[in-house]
Amino acid sequence: MNDTPGWASPGSAPSDGRDPDAPGPAGSADRPGPEQSADRPQQPGDAPREPGVKWSKEQPPAGQWSAPTGHTGAGGPAQAPPPPPGGQGPYGGWGSGWGGPPPAAKPGVIPLRPLGIGELLDGAVSTMRTYWRTVLGISLTLAVLTEVVVVLLQRFVLKDSSAAVLDDPSATLGELTDALGDLLLSSAVLYGITLIGTVAATALLTTVTSRATLGRSVTTSEAWRDARPQIPRLFGLIILLSLIAAGIIAAGAVPGVLLGLAAGPEVGFGLTLLGIAGAAVVGIWLMVRLSLASPALMLEKQGITKAMRRSSRLVRGSWWRVCGIQALAAIIGYVVAAIVVIPFTFLASAFSGDGVTGLLDASGGNFGWTFLIISGIGSVIGSTITFPITAGVTVLLYIDQRIRREALDLELARAAGIQDHGATGGS
């Protein structure tokens, strides 16, 4: 007999789940059969009757048993009674198959159970809204540092005329190849800087988000004190991930480049693009597998390689789900950032003296300090808002994967002082 609350469902037999006509102990020895009506007086030798149970002389065929309180429609199978108010079953708890489990405990920004996509996003936004002083302080600092590096690179290192060459209809294939290579390199460098800022934000906001799941606040100094011992390892993780990504892209592009040098740019150009596209696919697959390494490194106080293996194990079997959630969070972040950055970009163009025409005609590396500073302010504001969203989703996704695989919700419930979590289906 299954004593778990809610095991019985409409259409199952009472008490032990056996049909009265079925052979065995539950058939005739301990149950009154069709010839023994509940209206007939008790005879010597009859098995004791169960109190409150009446057995009809006309039993339904096997497989059509209904609960004793059910009723039969005209010509149809027996129907179960409507669920009692509040979803309470006849055996207590949330059972009888009519209602779902009771709401999971929610001491902080998320319920302590496996999370849906909406709950992950809501948890990240709730963390930012509830602990905004700490969250915005960390994200603003990282956004300023990241944007300073980007502005300096755009002004002094990545200054080129790629856009002019790409717009020139008389440019040769070799010039187009060189310009496209420079443009891809500039984009990769800027994206890498942004990725480093995102990883750093994820790591530093991990403490804030993990405390938020328990409903506990943390100051910026406390978050820094908790994260400081892992900072060297964090930078090592960032450098290693960057080298892996660069190595994968280089491995995809090198064959095309070498073939272009040997057989001419016409042959190597297409192969280079194809190799870069294939390498990008491999890089995305690997980066998703390693996307939970940062929170694993910060929360579990592990080394770099152990954190990467930990992320790989947590993502294994859930790659598409993790990738989809991360991509959705990134899209939301980019949309929010664009809403903030685009007006500042036009404003920067107006103040730089070139106007919108200059914005459309010039390359990003040829803008002056006025444009870079004003547009950089917009980028800082956008990153300050988007860093907590993307970082919060990553940390909560790490917690969600551990809840699904390791029942972390039980440990979190004990840490939050919740008694008997999971005893009634809360987990």
Side-chain angles (χ1 to χ4, degrees):
M1 176 176 177
N2 190 344
D3 294 325
T4 304
W7 70 272
S9 60
S12 62
S15 191
D16 63 355
R18 297 288 298 273
D19 289 340
D21 296 333
S28 59
D30 57 352
R31 298 288 190 203
E35 72 282 353
Q36 184 178 351
S37 171
D39 299 327
R40 178 172 62 84
Q42 183 81 7
Q43 301 295 328
D46 288 344
R49 297 178 182 175
E50 294 182 7
V53 177
K54 293 185 178 182
W55 301 84
S56 172
K57 295 180 181 181
E58 301 295 330
Q59 295 295 330
Q64 297 184 11
W65 181 269
S66 63
T69 54
H71 62 278
T72 305
Q79 302 294 324
Q88 296 292 326
Y91 304 103
W94 53 271
S96 300
W98 294 319
K106 188 178 179 181
V109 295
I110 59 169
L112 300 184
R113 56 169 171 76
L115 304 174
I117 297 177
E119 290 170 325
L120 290 168
L121 295 173
D122 180 71
V125 175
S126 297
T127 301
M128 181 174 61
R129 185 176 62 247
T130 305
Y131 309 101
W132 63 272
R133 289 185 178 87
T134 303
V135 170
L136 295 184
I138 294 174
S139 59
L140 177 61
T141 302
L142 291 174
V144 170
L145 294 176
T146 301
E147 191 59 29
V148 167
V149 175
V150 168
V151 168
L152 293 178
L153 287 175
Q154 287 179 318
R155 181 60 181 171
F156 296 112
V157 179
L158 302 179
K159 184 177 181 180
D160 57 66
S161 56
S162 300
V165 174
L166 293 176
D167 292 337
D168 186 3
S170 61
T172 64
L173 183 59
E175 293 175 341
L176 291 175
T177 302
D178 294 339
L180 183 60
D182 292 340
L183 183 60
L184 289 176
L185 178 61
S186 301
S187 301
V189 170
L190 296 179
Y191 177 77
I193 297 299
T194 304
L195 179 62
I196 291 173
T198 302
V199 173
T202 300
L204 295 179
L205 291 173
T206 295
T207 300
V208 181
T209 307
S210 62
R211 299 280 185 89
T213 61
L214 303 178
R216 299 173 182 173
S217 61
V218 57
T219 63
T220 304
S221 60
E222 291 173 342
W224 168 251
R225 188 164 53 249
D226 184 78
R228 184 173 55 190
Q230 293 295 99
I231 292 298
R233 293 177 178 176
L234 172 65
F235 279 104
L237 176 65
I238 293 174
I239 293 173
L240 183 56
L241 291 178
S242 302
L243 291 177
I244 291 175
I248 293 175
I249 297 298
V254 164
V257 173
L258 294 178
L259 186 59
L261 294 176
E266 294 82 0
V267 179
F269 182 74
L271 184 59
T272 301
L273 291 181
L274 182 62
I276 292 176
V281 173
V282 176
I284 291 173
W285 175 83
L286 186 59
M287 289 301 106
V288 171
R289 288 291 296 266
L290 302 177
S291 61
L292 303 183
S294 176
L297 182 137
M298 301 303 294
L299 286 179
E300 300 180 22
K301 310 300 181 184
Q302 297 197 17
I304 297 173
T305 56
K306 288 184 178 180
M308 294 170 65
R309 287 197 296 266
R310 182 79 166 122
S311 174
S312 180
R313 285 195 297 269
L314 290 174
V315 175
R316 185 183 298 122
S318 303
W319 189 93
W320 286 107
R321 178 175 181 271
V322 173
C323 179
I325 293 174
Q326 296 276 36
L328 179 61
I331 291 173
I332 293 175
Y334 283 130
V335 170
V336 173
I339 293 175
V340 177
V341 170
I342 289 177
F344 275 89
T345 302
F346 283 99
L347 184 64
S349 299
F351 276 95
S352 64
D354 295 328
V356 179
T357 304
L359 175 65
L360 298 176
D361 292 340
S363 65
N366 291 332
F367 286 117
W369 283 112
T370 303
F371 178 87
L372 292 176
I373 291 175
I374 296 178
S375 61
I377 293 174
S379 298
V380 167
I381 297 174
S383 298
T384 302
I385 298 173
T386 57
F387 274 166
I389 297 176
T390 55
V393 169
T394 300
V395 177
L396 292 178
L397 189 57
Y398 161 83
I399 294 174
D400 174 64
Q401 287 298 109
R402 288 197 61 187
I403 288 176
R404 293 172 182 271
R405 295 176 180 270
E406 304 170 359
L408 180 65
D409 56 319
L410 301 180
E411 297 183 20
L412 294 176
R414 284 193 292 268
I418 300 173
Q419 301 297 326
D420 300 328
H421 176 74
T424 58
S427 62

